Amino acid sequence: NGPRTNIRDGSLQGGQTTQRAGLEAAGVDARRRVAGVYHHRHLAGVHPAQPSGQFEAGDQAGAAELFFDFRVADLAMGSGHFLTAAIDHIEKKMAAFLEEEGHQIPGVAKEIILLGNAARDAIGDPDGPLPEGSSLLRSQIARRCVSGLDINPISVELARVAIWIHTFVRGLPMSSLDHNLVCANSLTGIGSVDEALDVLVPGRNGAATLFDAPIEDALKASQGVLADIAQMPEIDRKETQAASKAVRSANAKAERARLLFDGAVLLRRGRSDLIDAVDPIGIATQAAEDEAQDEVGLLQAGHMPALFPEVFLRENGGFDVAVGNPPWKQLMVDELRFWLRIEPGILALRPAALKKRVEELKKERSDLEPAFTAEVEEFGLLRDAITSGPFPGVGGGGRAPDLYLAFAWRNWQLIRRGGRMGQVFPRTLLSATVSSEWREEILHEGAISVVTVTNSGQWVFNGVDGRYSIALVNVAKGAGARDEVGLSGPFYDMESFLRGRDDIGYVPPALLTSSAQGAPFPHLPDTKSTSIFRTLRESPRLSEGVGLARFVPVYEFNATTDRPIFDAGRETPNRWPVCGGSSFNIWEPDTGEVYAWADPKKVTAELQRKRLRQINLRSSAFYGLPKSWASDRGTLPCMSPRIAFRDVTNATNTRTCVAALVPGERVLTNKAPYLLRLAGTAVDEAFLLGVLSSIPLDWYARRYVELGMNFHIFNGLPVPSADPGDPLRLRLIELAGRLAARDVRFSGWASEVGVPVASITSPQAQA
């Protein structure tokens, strides 16, 4: 089995396989996978019943190859900080593994010794000490185990330089990283061979196609060249130059596959004017035309199987780990940023002056109009490529594509089963409606744990708004993943983060999917919070009904698009107030703030028009209600007291869920949605208002709310069920009814509830 020496002293012990070390580096429990590793096709000479450190004669090359068969990627690497840290982490795990008794891989030890001797000879001191084994191992990990992409060529060069410096060994040349770190866009290209085939042959349902052989043959030819490069230790500049030349050769051999992938991208975008062939040769020929290549070039399409065939052609293809902090911005042209490049000082101007100066610049520098137009067109091209890609929810609802969501999908798609992704995302990934399909797939096909931090005081990132929560997301893919969701945080400083990050509470995925539509993730700081959350979630969702009653949140008027219906004139006896969320507070129907005033005849006529139309729309809360009811203007919700709640709120407010019973003869904007009572009585309304105004319910709301109470969160709020005669329910109805019925405007409602009007008038009495 070869000599056994210590890696820290300059040479390397043998070992079983890097799968275990690599999986541990990724945070995966490798013990459940070890038996499967023995059956890996690269270890043809290893019998699964043999001890882990024993290999048959002649298997050293296969064992050494498998040792480095671990791939970590950053799909938006910037200058390579994550990959540099990953190299160190992998080196520590691999070194610790190889130092264990019985872990012997002579091929790896021989390679490290060869590199050490070459470095010592190049220095000109043949009798001097060998370089540290850890440094030599790091250099090989950089060559074989990390991959990165970025659309900025300067960032790619900086990443290469950063890794060169970090893994530099005196006497050895800088390794060729042309293959590992590339300038390309991982979102606009093809992520897998199956992804391309689904576009090239719609409806194939996994069946073999005419495209399989051309793609596979080209990629295998490229893979063979890259395998030879991997076996080249690059002990001198001649070998490094040969490696760079071989990378170019590998790219050339993958050309046919790349052109077919280009064709798939263009077809996915609907460019039938460029690609109208149906056979492999025809599509590849058309994709090679200048116009097609110009468009693909603007997209910087990074086809992962062509870039990294050794990763995606192996059994159970894909990266073992995907790390990174991808862009969070929306993909849209920012006109201000364009003119800031021309005149940076305009940012200091007040908004009105800034707008005026931009208009002046457009006239003064009309020569730049073509450049701005080209930028708009390029953004449009990129937007279409991403929204037409395999990223559900991205660009949904007509909004600009959220790049963080596209990267969340791409990272998930590119890791192999059993792999992991560790990413930094805005926490909206775990709560926004547009990302609901991503969450549901993760919960169904993998496992996830999240540590949340809030950037107050800029302790995490400089220049990132401190109000926003940041999610440190760890996802495991496939069989063997834990069937519970781990949640911890938010943490507001380094001290609390270090103290509490390992106090993770776990909840079943089914609890999240049943809590609210789209399975948003709650903030659960610790295991105690998780226990409270589980208890509250035993109650039904509000959307499931309040006993026999049913309430649905509704927007009445949009403050922007419906603005012509009302005006901002002064209060007069014949006008109704138009109210937003700031117009009321808990147990306070009037704060004195009014958004605008409206003519009752005008607004009720508009509400009648909307209601008569909406009773026929399946998507409307009014759908299916009797036409006789909808035709009676006196039944408009705005004519009577009803529960309204604030749309704009956040988890750091004194109260997050702010609901109140507002009087009739007023209308509400979208910042103050109201609850339409579809079934039940004012008694049920009083009970629900009491629950919504309670501290336990507010605690629950804080688990979900970031910067607003959307309908998905509100419909998922837990409302305890109770028998009509339950003393606690009756007591809650009485208290809520008395607190809500502040004056004679609520007389009818109070009579139905069975409470007096104006029985509580002061804040002290309310308390």
Side-chain angles (χ1 to χ4, degrees), residues 468-726:
Y468 292 90
S469 295
I470 299 164
L472 310 179
V473 178
N474 189 327
V475 174
K477 187 174 188 177
R482 182 173 182 141
D483 60 354
E484 290 186 301
V485 177
L487 299 168
S488 181
F491 299 108
Y492 298 93
D493 53 60
M494 180 64 77
E495 182 181 354
S496 62
F497 170 73
L498 295 175
R499 185 174 60 249
R501 63 182 175 180
D502 295 326
D503 185 13
I504 298 176
Y506 290 93
V507 295
L511 195 61
L512 299 184
T513 55
S514 65
S515 297
Q517 183 179 348
F521 284 27
H523 280 294
L524 295 175
D526 46 42
T527 52
K528 182 178 180 181
S529 297
T530 304
S531 176
I532 297 171
F533 178 82
R534 284 174 178 258
T535 300
L536 290 175
R537 271 274 43 104
E538 292 174 1
S539 297
R541 293 166 49 175
L542 185 146
S543 61
E544 296 172 340
V546 181
L548 298 177
R550 186 174 172 225
F551 297 86
V552 179
V554 176
Y555 290 143
E556 196 156 57
F557 283 117
N558 185 286
T560 302
T561 58
D562 291 325
R563 193 71 177 82
I565 300 170
F566 37 84
D567 58 56
R570 295 182 179 181
E571 177 182 6
T572 62
N574 60 346
R575 287 187 177 185
W576 285 1
V578 180
C579 298
S582 60
S583 299
F584 56 84
N585 209 334
I586 295 176
W587 309 124
E588 188 178 358
D590 294 301
T591 61
E593 292 196 31
V594 175
Y595 178 72
W597 297 89
D599 180 343
K601 291 182 180 180
K602 192 173 182 179
V603 292
T604 55
E606 177 62 16
L607 290 174
Q608 271 297 89
R609 185 191 67 79
K610 288 184 177 182
R611 184 167 63 161
L612 287 170
R613 180 176 59 87
Q614 290 170 342
I615 61 173
N616 298 312
L617 296 177
R618 291 184 178 274
S619 59
S620 171
F622 292 94
Y623 177 72
L625 293 175
K627 189 173 182 179
S628 58
W629 172 84
S631 300
D632 181 1
R633 186 172 297 194
T635 63
L636 281 170
C638 65
M639 305 299 291
S640 306
R642 54 198 165 145
I643 296 175
F645 63 92
R646 287 185 184 175
D647 171 83
V648 177
T649 184
N650 64 63
T652 60
N653 288 350
T654 304
R655 295 293 288 269
T656 295
C657 182
V658 178
L661 189 73
V662 297
E665 298 188 352
R666 64 177 54 199
V667 292
L668 304 168
T669 73
N670 55 304
K671 298 305 177 183
Y674 74 93
L675 293 183
L676 176 65
R677 191 205 311 167
L678 296 177
T681 67
V683 173
D684 300 304
E685 208 160 34
F687 173 75
L688 177 57
L689 181 61
V691 172
L692 293 175
S693 303
S694 68
I695 295 297
L697 190 285
D698 195 70
W699 181 92
Y700 182 92
R702 289 173 186 268
R703 302 312 104 202
Y704 284 102
V705 168
E706 282 284 333
L707 296 176
M709 179 73 79
N710 62 45
F711 282 8
H712 292 309
I713 295 174
F714 196 83
N715 278 322
L717 294 175
V719 179
S721 55
D723 294 333
D726 187 308

Side-chain angles (χ1 to χ4, degrees), residues 417-429:
R417 292 191 69 79
R420 292 229 178 184
M421 55 181 280
Q423 302 279 324
V424 182
F425 287 117
R427 197 183 179 280
T428 47
L429 175 69

Side-chain angles (χ1 to χ4, degrees), residues 386-411:
I386 292 175
T387 54
S388 64
F391 313 125
V394 174
R399 57 183 282 142
D402 291 293
L403 287 180
Y404 75 82
L405 178 55
F407 274 106
W409 276 114
R410 192 48 113 194
N411 277 281

Side-chain angles (χ1 to χ4, degrees), residues 144 156 176 658:
R144 302 186 185 185
V156 175
S176 170
V658 178

